[in-house]
Amino acid sequence: MTAFDAKRAYEYACAVARPRRTGSLGEAAAVEYITQRLKDFGLDVQEDFFTFPTVMRQLMKLTVLSILVALLVIFFLFNINPFLTGVIVTLMLFLVLRFLSGVPFVATLRGLLFRNIPFTKRQGSKNIIAAMGNSNVGKNPHIYILAHYDSKSQSLPLVHRIVLITGFFFGSIYILGHYIMAALVWGTPGGWLYAVYCLTNFSGILLLFMAEGNYSPGAVDNASGVGVLLHLAEIISKDRNRFKDVDITFVATGAEEEALVGAFHLCKSLTEHPIPKDSCYFINLDGVGLKGNIYCTHKIGVHFTFTEGQGNFARLVKEAGKKEGLEVKTPPVVIGAAADHFPFTYEGFNAVTLSTVSKKSRVVHTYKDGIDQLELEGFDGVGRLVLGVIDRIVEK
């Protein structure tokens, strides 16, 4: 039985770790490297090209701008008609809280992606899909192992972004709730409101001016995931008899940093033809190259799982980790803003994202996210965990 070799996965990650935002020369080089490695393993490799509206890149800023304008309108409208303001704010608060559940968020992304939006250009990328030939295709459980290969940089460090985003959205919720109470009970806003209003607007303005670019090597996010995916493909392709009772497809997704575009396109292609969702499993690898806690995320917001099956899959992952001597945690909220398991969870598939988290996670999306951040323990733990999960699925 072939064991997972963390050094091998690390070498693959190092070969990919260079600035490679969607549309750049670095992205093209990454595609060429990943495709060639998968072909070297004797897999059937296809490149699935897709396009998406470039407005997806500005979605965060458009959301922040819309909220800022809405808060400004409410601020002046309250002095004209407090009751009408209370009604409008109540509807807005309901929508904001509903959005945080994750379901409308994914639905919005999906709707924008597959709609022709006027006055916007389109950007291209591709998914790299590799499968093993198997005479029992369709009869076995099917496992998709995913890892996005693109990267991007942001002018604000991760901790600063988290603080600003948290302050902005919770400040907005506080303001909306405060105006509801003012309309119903107090008649005039309290003094705290103006301080929160100023801080919320300040956070929003900083987020609007946050620049994105192509200077992050993206070693942790997500050359590490690609490294694990490639080595898993290498192991599994060499030991096909061990995996004869399961169909496995490896997918390096493109344009993840542009709003999960590659994952949405893959999901759309799968749902266009009826497939048994209860026997399909998606394991997304994102930021797995650090020595730290292993997290298994199966949610797309602060909601409970859509189906019992999704919760069962997360428990299966934890059980597989326990058998390997690994503690796998399931966080109450999503690690990061979004991940490639979102579209599949939304459609009712069994889907999780595996990540390793430590203090070094703070460097993602910065120039510091280089290969010197990577640690073999992270590769080893996640690699062994995925193999354990495959074994558990076969045993079911």
Side-chain angles (χ1 to χ4, degrees), residues 1 58 70 107 196 223 337:
M1 182 182 296
Q58 305 300 325
V196 175

Side-chain angles (χ1 to χ4, degrees), residues 133-141 244-247:
N134 194 324
S135 59
N136 292 321
V137 170
K139 299 179 181 179
N140 296 332
K244 66 181 185 302
D245 295 324
V246 62
D247 301 328

